[in-house]
Amino acid sequence: MQTFVLAGGCFWCLDAVYRTLRGVSDVISGYTGGSVANPSYELVCTGTTNHAEAVAVTFDETEIPASIILDAFFTLHDPRQLNRQGADVGTQYRSAMFYADDEQKKLFEEAIARANDIWGGGVVTTLEPLGEFYRAEDYHQDFFAKNPGQGYCLAVAVPKVNKVRKAFGEYVRVA
């Protein structure tokens, strides 16, 4: 099992996408990359803590390759948008990959290179060492599944889920 900590806009979307992929055993929404211990959602939303909304994705490489986890990341969000994803604006919505060790850093660098090829350059995703990862409040965990009719989920998360399902169909969970 391996865990990647990734940030690409609102963590609800990343959570929704990764839960659809087989081999993913857990997705935890949280905050990392900032300067305040035990931040709350409200504090992170101010943009003053430098935390990113992120997910910790745990997966089994015998079922889904690490490269697919990372390529799905670069499919589900626009890594060329600096400190934003659509209407979500601020450093808390930055595109970032938080590496736990040199092996992850190398995998992440390779994924950024692939993304630059796919997106035609301009990828602004940052590579940051993984510091403390703080689990977000319970209501943020598995938000999409608990709130499928919520406006943001319908307008923003559903298209991202559908895009990844189309691109990586062979790795989508069978219901």
Side-chain angles (χ1 to χ4, degrees):
M1 300 299 273
Q2 175 145 216
T3 300
F4 290 161
V5 176
L6 307 168
C10 178
F11 46 32
W12 296 346
C13 294
L14 281 85
D15 176 86
V17 166
Y18 283 117
R19 287 183 185 276
T20 69
L21 299 177
R22 72 176 160 76
V24 172
S25 61
D26 199 15
V27 182
I28 299 172
S29 294
Y31 317 108
T32 194
S35 58
V36 174
N38 300 306
S40 66
Y41 178 69
E42 290 74 21
L43 187 58
V44 170
C45 283
T46 68
T48 60
T49 70
N50 204 37
H51 286 93
E53 287 192 16
V55 292
V57 181
T58 301
F59 62 98
D60 182 346
E61 284 190 88
T62 65
E63 292 186 54
I64 187 167
S67 62
I68 298 298
I69 296 291
L70 298 175
D71 291 348
F73 171 70
F74 285 110
T75 299
L76 73 93
H77 82 292
D78 185 344
R80 301 167 300 173
Q81 293 186 1
L82 183 62
N83 297 328
R84 73 176 304 143
Q85 281 299 297
D88 294 329
V89 179
T91 57
Q92 67 271 31
Y93 301 113
R94 70 186 178 272
S95 178
M97 305 171 91
F98 297 89
Y99 59 90
D101 55 34
D102 289 340
E103 181 181 332
Q104 279 192 0
K105 184 177 182 183
K106 183 176 186 295
L107 288 172
F108 293 174
E109 288 169 340
E110 292 166 355
I112 290 171
R114 289 192 305 274
N116 264 309
D117 289 343
I118 292 166
W119 287 94
V123 170
V124 296
T125 304
T126 61
L127 280 177
E128 302 177 36
L130 179 61
E132 191 72 35
F133 180 85
Y134 299 97
R135 182 184 173 91
E137 296 79 356
D138 286 343
Y139 72 92
H140 289 298
Q141 306 304 323
D142 203 9
F143 188 87
F144 179 76
K146 294 175 186 172
N147 303 279
Q150 198 261 5
Y152 186 92
C153 290
L154 292 172
V156 182
V158 168
K160 292 179 182 209
V161 168
N162 290 339
K163 187 176 180 184
V164 169
R165 282 183 176 199
K166 183 178 179 184
F168 302 96
E170 69 184 277
Y171 294 100
V172 173
R173 285 184 197 276
V174 177

